[in-house]
Amino acid sequence: DQQVKQNSPSLSVQEGRISILNCDYTNSMFDYFLWYKKYPAEGPTFLISISSIKDKNEDGRFTVFLNKSAKHLSLHIVPSQPGDSAVYFCAASETNSGNTPLVFGKGTRLSVIA
Amino acid sequence: EAEVAQSPRYKITEKSQAVAFWCDPISGHATLYWYRQILGQGPELLVQFQDESVVDDSQLPKDRFSAERLKGVDSTLKIQPAELGDSAMYLCASSHLGGTQYFGPGTRLLVL
């Protein structure tokens, strides 16, 4: 049973437009959420995170939104650039239970077309 | 910028052979994780260390996998014997207690 779900395996966006990547979770104990970006043959790179006490966190072109009641979060990239083309993983953890490991979704492959 | 180091980057082996992967976490990070990522899936935890102690190894196939972090710094993950289904990317991550996890470049294993 997947606790973190990324239902879109892939997404194509034109350069300069907004990319929206979605993630749903089922475990109500999750209180910390992260997005990682991964290029082929490399490890995941941390992008941005959000605690459950917030509903929005912004860092440059990247914004993460959290809707706790819907158990849904999204990553917005504005404007999208060709270098953003990668696989994006949503991850969650229960920090209130201690230093718990991350639970990842299956990833969404973003292609930004010039 | 400090990084998690892993070696080797690529490993090809035959089934029933032994393989070992090494990880050096970011200096000062007490927590170290080993994840396995199968193609098309997200990373899944194999084992978590806090300093030299195992915190969680519930998903580690202990009949063939072993992990150690003897001095609480670098770590080794071993598979013996390797099976075809072990082909995957093996990722090491480290963090401060309760902090963001930073990943190394991974070791891509192919078992023939």
Side-chain angles (χ1 to χ4, degrees):
Chain A
D1 180 33
Q2 270 205 296
Q3 298 186 69
V4 178
K5 300 178 184 179
Q6 293 177 258
N7 292 320
S8 298
S10 63
L11 174 68
S12 289
V13 172
Q14 279 200 311
E15 181 179 6
R17 306 293 290 267
I18 183 172
S19 295
I20 301 176
L21 296 94
N22 293 303
C23 177
D24 298 292
Y25 61 96
T26 57
N27 187 344
S28 58
M29 298 299 291
F30 288 146
D31 59 0
Y32 191 62
F33 305 89
L34 308 91
W35 285 93
Y36 286 85
K37 171 182 178 180
K38 188 178 183 302
Y39 293 118
E42 294 184 12
T45 301
F46 169 71
L47 267 180
I48 192 168
S49 62
I50 188 167
S51 165
S52 59
I53 62 173
K54 291 186 167 184
D55 55 17
K56 176 183 174 181
N57 190 25
E58 190 172 352
D59 184 1
R61 296 186 297 114
F62 302 91
T63 303
V64 56
F65 296 92
L66 175 62
N67 182 334
K68 289 189 294 292
S69 61
K71 294 191 177 69
H72 176 84
L73 63 155
S74 60
L75 175 68
H76 293 210
I77 306 174
V78 182
S80 300
Q81 300 173 353
D84 296 330
S85 297
V87 177
Y88 288 78
F89 288 99
C90 172
S93 68
E94 304 175 34
T95 58
N96 285 340
S97 302
N99 202 34
T100 58
L102 297 174
V103 178
F104 284 84
K106 290 187 176 183
T108 296
R109 181 177 301 278
L110 174 66
S111 299
V112 179
I113 304 162
Chain B
E1 182 177 300
E3 295 181 341
V4 177
Q6 287 188 250
S7 67
R9 292 292 307 274
Y10 303 92
K11 179 69 177 179
I12 300 175
T13 190
E14 294 185 342
K15 63 179 182 179
S16 80
Q17 297 298 303
V19 292
F21 314 131
W22 177 80
C23 171
D24 192 14
I26 293 172
S27 178
H29 281 189
T31 311
L32 184 148
Y33 308 81
W34 283 100
Y35 290 85
R36 177 170 60 183
Q37 185 188 7
I38 296 169
L39 196 62
Q41 305 289 319
E44 293 183 337
L45 180 77
L46 289 173
V47 61
Q48 176 185 347
F49 288 92
Q50 184 64 35
D51 299 308
E52 67 277 8
S53 300
V54 173
V55 173
D56 183 355
D57 63 356
S58 57
Q59 301 304 310
L60 189 71
K62 298 182 190 62
D63 56 336
R64 298 184 301 109
F65 285 64
S66 64
E68 60 184 17
R69 194 184 183 198
L70 292 176
K71 296 181 180 178
V73 180
D74 59 336
S75 175
T76 303
L77 178 69
K78 296 179 181 176
I79 309 175
Q80 182 174 18
E83 296 181 352
L84 296 177
D86 296 332
S87 295
M89 172 81 89
Y90 290 82
L91 294 161
C92 180
S94 71
S95 72
H96 290 299
L97 185 63
T100 299
Q101 293 182 33
Y102 294 92
F103 284 80
T107 296
R108 183 169 292 283
L109 173 66
L110 179 61
V111 181
L112 302 174

